[in-house]
Structures are given as structure tokens and as C-alpha cells.
Amino acid sequence: MEPENPSELERLIDDALRSEPERDLPFGFHRSVVERLKIAAMLDRELKRFRACWASAGILAVALACSVLSVWLGADLPGAAARAVPGALGSYDRFILLLARHWPTMTLTSAGLLALLCGAYMAFARRLQARRSQLGRG
């Protein structure tokens, strides 16, 4: 039996609770409810601040990328470099050719180096955490 509107729900709740005897609230109930509401309000405020911080960081990143791209394209920096530095695009073409020939090796080498660095960082962090926990106990 689902009610159609909220007033119907309220009537059903009142009918169900009418036969129940009224009891006193436990000691400290009001204070605990007020404390929980304050905590919920602080969490909500912190969530709003967190979202605003990330939104402003995203806007800053997009604005920075757009400004760099507009300066890059507006000033025609690739064309200026090609005209100012003899053979500049030849080095670029050589790099692209090297990348096209050896991309699997370069990818595996980069992934291995990244895994090695991440592993070293994790080992360092665990050792530091273990040392801090030993100092905290002793």
C-alpha cells in the first residue's frame, strides 16, 4: 500500500503511531542530534569548498592551455623556428622517424623505468611509515 502523495504518507504514519505510548527522550538526545547536524553541515561546507577548489583549478588549467595554444599559433612559433634555425624541422623529422621505428622499445623502457621509480617510492614510503610508527610507540 503505497501512498500517492506526502500528505497521505503523513496520515498513514500518524495512524500507525497513534496507538503507541509516548515515551521520554533519552538524556542527551537533543545535544547529540545538534552535534550530528553541525558535523553534517561542516561536511557539506567542506564538500562545497573542495568542489569549488577543483573547479577553479580546472578553469585555470583550461585557461592556461588556451592561452599557450593561442600564443603558439598566433605567433606562428613553428614557422618562425623553421625560418630562423636552419634544419630545425629536419631534427624534428628525424625524431619522428626514430620514434616510429623504435616505439615498442621506447615504450617498454619508459614503462620499466616508471615501474622502477614507483617501486622505489613505495618502498621508501613504507620504510618511512614503519619508522614513524616505531618512534610513536617507543
Side-chain angles (χ1 to χ4, degrees), residues 72-102:
W72 179 267
L73 295 176
D76 191 28
L77 293 179
R83 289 187 299 274
V85 180
L89 291 180
S91 298
Y92 177 75
D93 291 339
R94 183 170 175 245
F95 173 72
I96 293 298
L97 182 64
L98 180 73
L99 185 64
R101 283 185 185 166
H102 303 289

Side-chain angles (χ1 to χ4, degrees), residues 24-44:
D24 291 334
L25 292 174
F27 180 74
F29 178 77
H30 182 268
R31 185 188 57 191
S32 66
V33 168
V34 168
E35 287 175 0
R36 288 181 181 173
L37 287 174
K38 285 180 182 178
I39 290 171
M42 287 190 298
L43 286 173
D44 189 43

Side-chain angles (χ1 to χ4, degrees), residues 118-129:
C118 287
Y121 173 75
M122 292 299 291
F124 176 73
R126 283 187 182 177
R127 216 174 252 196
L128 185 64
Q129 184 180 14

Side-chain angles (χ1 to χ4, degrees), residues 38-51:
K38 285 180 182 178
I39 290 171
M42 287 190 298
L43 286 173
D44 189 43
R45 184 174 46 230
E46 188 65 27
L47 181 65
K48 286 178 183 176
R49 290 177 61 197
F50 177 76
R51 287 180 179 163

